[in-house]
């Protein structure tokens, strides 16, 4: 991690002429603007750069639009895609008058949860390890008008193209739910995923693996090594940016939309969480599956608050096309060491205490990483503080349970509407330590209902014409 002086020295030594300043908007899309590096000096790391906050979704009104973004020297990296060598720094957003951090800056919320964890005395570091799945498509077309709506996805790997004239069609297209994980030529994206992985590694991001995922048409997964929460929030922003740009360079497109294909697997983002104190893992112990009592309380916190957390970890209407009970999705509010339909799993790959963590399987990669990781961590902290017991583990095959036993198991929300209602009813745990503010909760709910829930509710669905036109 560099200091301001080291950043300025690198700019001079490498003759970098452009600075790209980036920050995350409220819904979770990276924003940026560029200035010549002649505008960068030591004062820039305190004074920041001005921009119009009223044009950023969910932020300032037009009558109070001026904002500052203050570059964080520790985040400095050279962009791997720009033609002109460009230094990238992630910024913290602040009010230009008070100089106070902006409450709706997702990165600030992530910083606050790390500080709050230390204040509680529970631990000093929360490690986050997300497993983000995504699709690599060849072509995507969509339209949503007043008198028409459609989408059309295509992929050289899509099994629906097994009969297409390709001059020649060479076959090797993975069947639905059978793409985990054959070698090439069935897997057609090995080289692209490797380029994605190594580009991230060249940026200083520690990588673990890459592979094809279950669905046809290029579903994939690339895993980063676990890191402290704020650092992983920054890395998730780079992760999405790199994957999209590598794919774009090769004439493909990447989406983190959770459920783009009907009757095939959706994309999740299993999120591994562990808390450490003084260099020691707190989740290893002698309880169920080798975890500690604190780990069980942490699971209890996640299960208790899961429906509210989903408003941040599964924040799109499309998220709930993946989270449907009765399929393989992790919708059951229970925990297990083996059962992958449980919302929380305790991985058993390693017996090392350092590897002991809990895996929250419900989230998906459409989320704003800063907000999702912060909400999950606040649920974990609340569970430990209030000694919330998670109940008995669910090690039975969920699909073999009799209906009366299955009815006793709560499930994740069935819609974004339900998740937002749960957040409205259950958010006191998020307000602790001023991590999330009431303003953030209210704006998140209002923004999502006004811009996503209601617009989807109001529009006729193409399949409704299939079902109802002849009535």
């Amino acid at each position: 991690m560099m200091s301001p002086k080291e950043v300025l020295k690198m700019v001079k030594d490498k003759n970098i002429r452009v600075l790209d300043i980036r920050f995350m908007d409220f819904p979770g899309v990276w924003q940026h603007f560029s200035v010549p590096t002649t505008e960068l000096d030591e004062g820039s790391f305190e004074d920041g750069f001005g921009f119009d906050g009223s044009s950023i979704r969910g932020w300032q009104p037009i009558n109070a639009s001026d904002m500052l973004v203050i570059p964080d020297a520790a985040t400095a990296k050279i962009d791997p895609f720009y033609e002109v060598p460009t230094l990238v720094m992630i910024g913290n957003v602040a009010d230009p008058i008070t100089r106070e951090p902006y409450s709706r800056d997702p990165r600030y919320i992530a910083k606050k949860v790390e500080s709050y964890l230390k204040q509680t005395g529970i631990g000093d570091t929360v490690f986050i390890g997300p497993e983000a799945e995504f699709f690599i498509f060849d072509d995507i077309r969509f339209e949503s008008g007043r008198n028409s709506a459609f989408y059309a996805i295509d992929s050289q790997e899509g099994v629906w193209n097994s009969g297409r004239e390709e001059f020649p069609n060479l076959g090797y297209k993975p069947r639905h739910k059978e793409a985990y994980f054959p070698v090439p030529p069935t897997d057609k994206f090995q080289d692209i995923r490797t380029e994605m992985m190594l580009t991230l590694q060249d940026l200083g991001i520690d990588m673990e693996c890459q592979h094809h995922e279950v669905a046809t048409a290029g579903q994939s997964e690339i895993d980063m090594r676990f890191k402290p929460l704020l650092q992983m929030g920054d890395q998730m922003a780079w992760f999405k940016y790199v994957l999209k740009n590598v794919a774009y360079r090769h004439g493909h497109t990447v989406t983190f939309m959770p459920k783009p294909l009907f009757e095939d697997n959706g994309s999740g983002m299993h999120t591994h969480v562990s808390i450490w104190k003084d260099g020691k893992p707190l989740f290893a112990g002698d309880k169920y599956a080798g975890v500690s009592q604190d780990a069980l309380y942490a699971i209890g916190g996640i299960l208790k608050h899961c429906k509210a957390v989903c408003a941040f970890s599964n924040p799109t209407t499309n998220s709930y096309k993946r989270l449907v009970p009765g399929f393989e999705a992790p919708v059951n509010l229970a925990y297990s060491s083996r059962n992958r339909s449980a919302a929380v799993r305790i991985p058993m790959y390693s017996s090392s205490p350092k590897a002991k963590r809990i895996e929250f399987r419900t989230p998906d990669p459409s989320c704003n990483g800063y907000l999702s990781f912060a909400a999950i961590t606040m649920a974990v902290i609340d569970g430990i503080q209030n000694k919330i017991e998670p109940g008995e583990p669910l090690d039975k095959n969920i699909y073999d349970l009799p209906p009366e036993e299955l009815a006793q198991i709560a499930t994740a929300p069935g819609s974004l509407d339900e998740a937002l209602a749960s957040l409205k009813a259950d958010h006191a745990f998020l307000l602790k330590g001023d991590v999330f503010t009431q303003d953030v909760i209210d704006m998140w709910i209002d923004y999502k209902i006004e811009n996503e829930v209601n617009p989807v509710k109001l529009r006729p669905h193409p399949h409704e014409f299939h079902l109802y036109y002849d009535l």
Side-chain angles (χ1 to χ4, degrees):
M1 292 186 182
M2 284 190 280
S3 67
K5 285 185 178 179
E6 289 171 326
V7 169
L8 293 170
K9 184 176 186 300
M10 181 176 70
V11 167
K12 184 178 179 181
D13 291 348
K14 296 192 174 184
N15 193 30
I16 298 170
R17 301 182 63 190
V18 179
L19 167 64
D20 207 44
I21 302 168
R22 299 185 186 173
F23 57 91
M24 188 71 75
D25 72 6
F26 208 43
V29 175
W30 231 9
Q31 308 291 324
H32 81 128
F33 62 89
S34 299
V35 299
T37 50
T38 51
E39 293 292 300
L40 181 67
D41 56 31
E42 281 200 61
S44 303
F45 295 91
E46 292 185 8
D47 299 335
F49 297 85
F51 71 98
D52 177 7
S54 68
S55 298
I56 305 299
R57 298 179 297 172
W59 278 10
Q60 291 295 85
I62 195 73
N63 62 321
S65 60
D66 290 347
M67 304 197 78
L68 291 176
V69 57
I70 302 168
D72 183 345
T75 66
K77 298 182 187 296
I78 304 296
D79 187 276
F81 302 105
Y82 290 162
E83 183 178 339
V84 174
T86 300
L87 176 71
V88 175
M89 283 191 282
I90 300 173
N92 298 309
V93 180
D95 184 285
I97 298 172
T98 66
R99 317 291 295 186
E100 291 293 315
Y102 184 48
S103 65
R104 295 183 203 164
D105 176 8
R107 191 169 193 262
Y108 178 48
I109 293 169
K111 290 173 76 172
K112 285 192 289 184
V113 77
E114 289 191 324
S115 298
Y116 177 63
L117 174 64
K118 294 174 184 174
Q119 291 170 23
T120 65
I122 292 170
D124 51 41
T125 309
V126 55
F127 286 108
I128 303 290
E131 299 177 1
E133 297 169 341
F134 56 96
F135 279 89
I136 305 171
F137 293 136
D138 297 347
D139 187 69
I140 173 68
R141 293 176 293 120
F142 51 86
E143 180 182 307
S144 183
R146 282 175 172 77
N147 68 319
S148 66
F150 80 94
Y151 71 90
I153 294 167
D154 209 359
S155 168
Q156 62 177 316
E157 223 191 55
V159 68
W160 56 82
N161 283 323
S162 60
R164 181 173 68 176
E165 285 282 1
E166 294 182 348
F167 310 103
N169 187 328
L170 300 177
Y172 301 117
K173 302 183 192 301
R175 290 174 287 274
H176 289 293
K177 298 179 180 291
E178 293 187 22
Y180 187 86
F181 25 50
V183 296
T186 302
D187 176 0
K188 295 180 174 51
F189 297 107
Q190 168 69 15
D191 289 339
I192 288 179
R193 289 195 310 270
T194 293
E195 184 177 334
M196 292 168 173
M197 180 176 67
L198 295 182
T199 301
L200 288 162
Q201 191 163 286
D202 289 344
L203 285 164
I205 296 172
D206 294 330
M207 305 304 297
E208 287 193 337
C209 68
Q210 61 92 345
H211 59 82
H212 207 291
E213 259 298 340
V214 175
T216 190
Q219 192 185 31
S220 301
E221 178 177 316
I222 300 177
D223 295 341
M224 296 177 280
R225 185 167 175 76
F226 65 89
K227 293 294 177 184
L229 188 149
L230 178 64
Q231 184 178 349
M232 185 53 75
D234 291 344
Q235 288 187 181
M236 274 304 302
W238 274 108
F239 182 87
K240 290 185 175 184
Y241 175 76
V242 166
L243 268 57
K244 289 176 181 178
N245 277 281
V246 169
Y248 190 78
R249 187 157 64 188
H250 288 278
H252 299 286
T253 177
V254 157
T255 184
F256 294 93
M257 186 175 173
K259 187 70 173 178
L261 296 182
F262 174 54
E263 291 190 331
D264 212 335
N265 282 43
S267 294
M269 189 176 75
H270 305 153
T271 302
H272 298 252
V273 183
S274 64
I275 294 178
W276 290 49
K277 187 174 185 178
D278 299 327
K280 295 179 181 177
L282 299 186
F283 282 4
D286 58 1
K287 303 295 182 182
Y288 171 80
V291 300
S292 66
Q293 184 62 60
D294 276 348
L296 291 177
Y297 290 149
I299 293 170
I302 289 178
L303 297 180
K304 177 180 178 180
H305 299 299
C306 178
K307 291 192 176 189
V309 169
C310 282
F312 293 107
S313 64
N314 302 79
T316 68
T317 60
N318 185 255
S319 297
Y320 300 89
K321 300 291 195 295
R322 167 181 169 260
L323 294 180
V324 180
F327 296 87
E328 293 181 17
V331 298
N332 299 291
L333 301 189
Y335 70 102
S336 174
S337 62
R338 297 288 178 90
N339 196 329
R340 290 172 182 263
S341 66
V344 178
R345 193 172 73 97
I346 301 168
M348 303 299 290
Y349 298 125
S350 172
S351 59
S352 168
K354 292 183 177 182
K356 194 56 67 176
R357 72 269 192 197
I358 59 178
E359 177 190 6
F360 185 29
R361 296 177 62 81
T362 308
D364 69 56
S366 68
C367 68
N368 182 328
Y370 296 114
L371 298 182
S372 179
F373 303 153
I376 293 167
T377 302
M378 291 302 286
V380 162
I381 292 172
D382 190 65
I384 295 171
Q385 286 176 325
N386 292 298
K387 296 180 167 52
I388 299 173
E389 291 285 355
E392 294 300 314
L394 179 67
D395 286 334
K396 301 175 184 177
N397 185 340
I398 193 93
Y399 306 109
D400 292 340
L401 292 180
E404 60 274 12
E405 196 171 339
L406 188 60
Q408 301 300 312
I409 302 170
T411 60
S415 67
L416 180 56
D417 226 353
E418 185 184 342
L420 294 169
S422 298
L423 176 63
K424 190 170 186 176
D426 174 27
H427 60 260
F429 72 101
L430 296 171
L431 302 179
K432 291 180 179 179
D434 202 38
V435 173
F436 286 79
T437 61
Q438 190 65 50
D439 169 71
V440 165
I441 301 293
D442 292 344
M443 176 53 74
W444 186 261
I445 293 170
D446 291 347
Y447 180 89
K448 286 286 174 178
I449 289 174
E450 182 180 340
N451 294 281
E452 298 176 32
V453 173
N454 286 345
V456 170
K457 275 185 180 179
L458 288 167
R459 282 167 170 78
H461 190 288
H463 196 63
E464 290 176 320
F465 287 85
H466 174 80
L467 294 172
Y468 307 130
Y469 189 77
D470 60 347
L471 292 181

